[in-house]
Amino acid sequence: MTAHETRLATVFRALRRQHRAALVPYVTAGYPSLEATTHLLETAAGAGADVIEVGYPFSDPMADGPVLQRAHHAALTRARETGHPIDMPGVLAAIHAYVAAGGDESSSTGAPHPRPPVVLMTYYNPVFRHGIDRFVADAVAAGLSGAIIPDLPPEEARALVDATRGTDFSPVFLLAPTSTVQRIREVAELTRGFIYLVSVAGVTGIREAVGDQAEVLVRRVRRETELPVAVGFGISTPEQVARIARIADGAVVGSALMSILLSGEGSVESVAAFAALIAAMRAALGPTASGAASAGES
Amino acid sequence: MSTVPDEQGHFGPYGGRFVPETLMAPLEELAAEYARARTDPTFAAELAAILRDYTGRPTPLTFARRLSGRLSDEAEQPIRVYLKREDLCHTGAHKINNTLGQMILARRMGKRRIIAETGAGQHGVATAASAALFGFACRIYMGREDMRRQALNVCRMELMGATVVPVESGSMTLKDATSEAIRDWVTNVADTHYVIGSVVGPHPYPMMVRDFQSVIGRETREQVVAAEGRLPDVLVACVGGGSNAIGIFHPFLGDREVAMIGVEGGGYGPPDQPHAATLSYGEPGVLHGAMSYLLQEEGGQVALAHSISAGLDYPGVGPEHAYLKDSGRARYVWVSDRQAVAAVEALCRLEGILPALESAHAIAHLFRLAADVRERGDAAPAGRPLLIVACLSGRGDKDVETVQEALRAREASA
């Protein structure tokens, strides 16, 4: 482990002290617009998110199910129609607008604390195309805390890991039900922040049952590392969040939230429903302990 | 002879494994099983027998007498062209060399459910036939647009018991069918083998498919030496993902005197008009599990390719071709839709052979080679004809309607 603690590690450590799991909602950047993304990040923080995942829309999202495929496609189509194609600087600027405004909401308590950290979920080609060193530098400057790259296993991530050394930026690796013990150890070795556990062999999406396979996987990973683990893929209801919270350090919710935004095309009502689902999931995790690192009630 | 790929599947900076974590274990399993099979004489014997008795190998190397005459006239120098007749393989294209090899591997791994992507449908038909032969369940992902263009092949796959799943995302072509097949594999990884149809995708596919297709080059080498007493001066093959090209090139890589030319789909004419000339106009990037050249836009989005040939209509290309291009060992050029259609006509009239639109790209380039020879006047070493082998990777029955449409459009605009 590195000498200094990353922002993600701090958040998970604080939550562990409170015996509470992190709620990690996801939004696809650029849906329905990049301006809306900044607002949705603020909304998610206000509704009780502990960490927020922002998806970089990609033309060929091979790890994503139908809902997030639609979100990626819609974001790219809208961006093209407005003549402002989505690129890395644009997405980072939208995130930065949210991060930079942090701190003032809690200033009344005298001790400003930053907003829930943001991690970028992106396929590798946009990162590679932007340039790996330049990506890390720009991401750090934008206040991004880490990146989850589903098609970049540790074997191919050497350059990225090297570029993030000594920064507050964490590469987040994934583990799946098919991961061998050796791979679990390799990922634990490279991770600073948290490990992302894929709950089932499959793509992202809404599933009726989540848990048994995830539970086995969490136990296997816990045997190898102390690092916090967040579980994603398929979690869509407050009950499922509560169930995952009993076994893991965090629950990632993507398709259920994007499905709400997509069906309302990002309308005011759909944003309210998006916030309500996050709040209900947050409530399912138990009361906020005093001094919790939440963004406060805005 | 070949030093690439390395253990991790890298061809220099290209190749590798850029896939979701869920697929890392099955890819390692596949690589390990293939490594065992590669040195197992019973595997080699079974594959050889099935290629002989079922596929109909060896395929002929046909001397194209009238085509050679036409090209010699054009070049004002003697040119001798041989065609490697992969169009005579069972199911009509070279694709089955690979699908049968992978089917034996699937059986060895105990996987009884087969999935595949297809563009032109030739790989889909080869997979469906091979799965039927082995008694495996088979599901083929095909873009809705390609299903329209290649209706005959859809029917053939269904007759052989495969389920053809229309893919409606993105451009509804090969790229999207590949993404959908990967999603299926991620979901059903325990009992499913994914039969990738070209030298693309994560390690070990580019290496494994290359090895299975190298039978084309090994036979060619023997046959051309038997016919002409020497190695060819030039090999020409079309390149979409690049499996027939790698197949014919590979056994000649160590023969410095043999030039290699890969012909990409130039569509309406690159770089300004839509095309599929990935090696000619793409830049390094990652798609479908490997680093290679890629047609892409700002922000790292994958661009839409276009070629009249559904099998070349792909924005990526096999990583070993990227490696061969950078090293200068092979050269990559493009041929437009229009030139490919003209080559279909030429080969039909001169040789009575109806080539697939993919393969017609290789034939079309022969005319350009002849023109180059005339201009530069420096063909083969003095006193002997320029000896060319073109890979005729598939037959064109599937393309008859597309060609007819193109010819009508040409007449209308003439």
Side-chain angles (χ1 to χ4, degrees), chain A residues 55-73:
Chain A
Y56 184 96
F58 186 53
S59 51
D60 297 78
M62 68 174 174
D64 284 299
V67 173
L68 296 192
Q69 282 179 50
R70 257 201 295 146
H72 284 241
H73 186 72

Side-chain angles (χ1 to χ4, degrees), chain B residues 51 55 57 59 84-100 122-123 126 197-199 209 212-213 215-216 238 242-248 358-359 391-395:
Chain B
L51 288 177
T55 309
R57 303 208 72 92
T59 58
K84 181 56 176 165
R85 301 294 305 280
E86 294 301 297
D87 60 316
L88 296 178
C89 287
H90 175 50
T91 67
H94 71 291
K95 294 292 185 184
I96 198 157
N97 302 329
N98 166 48
T99 58
L100 289 169
Q122 289 304 103
H123 174 58
S198 192
V199 285
V209 177
F212 289 142
Q213 292 297 359
V215 67
I216 303 173
C238 67
S243 69
N244 88 87
I246 280 286
I248 196 164
E358 290 78 16
S359 323
C391 189
L392 201 69
S393 55
R395 70 179 189 223

Side-chain angles (χ1 to χ4, degrees), chain A residues 59 61 125 156 178-179 183, chain B residues 17 21-22 183 286 301-302:
Chain A
S59 51
N125 197 52
E156 304 287 354
T178 53
S179 301
R183 296 193 60 78
Chain B
R17 269 185 194 144
E21 173 65 21
T22 304
R183 292 185 188 111
V286 171
Q301 308 299 340
V302 179

Side-chain angles (χ1 to χ4, degrees), chain A residues 186-265:
Chain A
E186 281 166 19
V187 161
E189 192 69 30
L190 288 174
T191 299
R192 303 182 297 141
F194 68 95
I195 296 176
Y196 190 126
L197 299 191
V198 176
S199 68
V200 290
V203 292
T204 59
I206 296 166
R207 288 185 177 81
E208 276 177 22
V210 175
D212 293 346
Q213 231 185 342
E215 206 164 333
V216 174
L217 179 58
V218 171
R219 236 181 287 125
R220 288 179 56 219
V221 174
R222 293 258 199 246
R223 270 202 291 271
E224 308 299 330
T225 177
E226 296 276 299
L227 282 162
V229 294
V231 175
F233 283 41
I235 304 169
S236 51
T237 66
E239 293 70 32
Q240 288 172 338
V241 168
R243 169 143 196 223
I244 292 300
R246 283 196 288 276
I247 56 170
D249 301 282
V252 183
V253 182
S255 294
L257 292 168
M258 287 312 296
S259 161
I260 291 172
L261 295 175
L262 283 163
S263 58
E265 299 198 355

Side-chain angles (χ1 to χ4, degrees), chain A residues 56-62 64 69 76 124-126 128-129 150-151 153 155-156 174 176 178-179 183 201-203, chain B residues 10 16-22 24-25 28 175 182-183 186-187 189 283-286 291 294 296-297 299-302:
Chain A
Y56 184 96
F58 186 53
S59 51
D60 297 78
M62 68 174 174
D64 284 299
Q69 282 179 50
L76 292 173
Y124 187 50
N125 197 52
F128 177 76
R129 173 84 173 171
D151 58 348
E155 285 84 345
E156 304 287 354
L174 297 94
T178 53
S179 301
R183 296 193 60 78
V203 292
Chain B
H10 294 114
R17 269 185 194 144
F18 294 85
V19 294
E21 173 65 21
T22 304
M24 290 303 283
E28 276 164 20
K175 159 178 100 84
I182 292 172
R183 292 185 188 111
V186 168
T187 309
V189 71
E283 288 174 76
V286 171
M291 174 84 66
L294 181 63
Q296 50 188 319
E297 301 169 353
Q301 308 299 340
V302 179

Side-chain angles (χ1 to χ4, degrees), chain B residues 95-113:
Chain B
K95 294 292 185 184
I96 198 157
N97 302 329
N98 166 48
T99 58
L100 289 169
Q102 290 203 43
M103 224 53 72
I104 303 176
L105 281 178
R107 195 190 56 208
R108 286 170 71 112
M109 292 185 292
K111 306 213 167 177
R112 303 188 53 84
R113 180 176 179 271

Side-chain angles (χ1 to χ4, degrees), chain B residues 56-63 80 82-86 88 214-232 235 248 251-252 387-391:
Chain B
R57 303 208 72 92
T59 58
L61 185 72
T62 305
F63 176 58
R80 290 175 69 79
Y82 283 82
L83 303 174
K84 181 56 176 165
R85 301 294 305 280
E86 294 301 297
L88 296 178
S214 292
V215 67
I216 303 173
R218 286 197 305 274
E219 288 177 5
T220 299
R221 207 185 157 85
E222 272 183 34
Q223 291 166 325
V224 74
V225 168
E228 293 280 329
R230 65 176 178 107
L231 295 179
L235 299 172
I248 196 164
F252 293 92
L387 183 57
I388 302 175
V389 177
C391 189

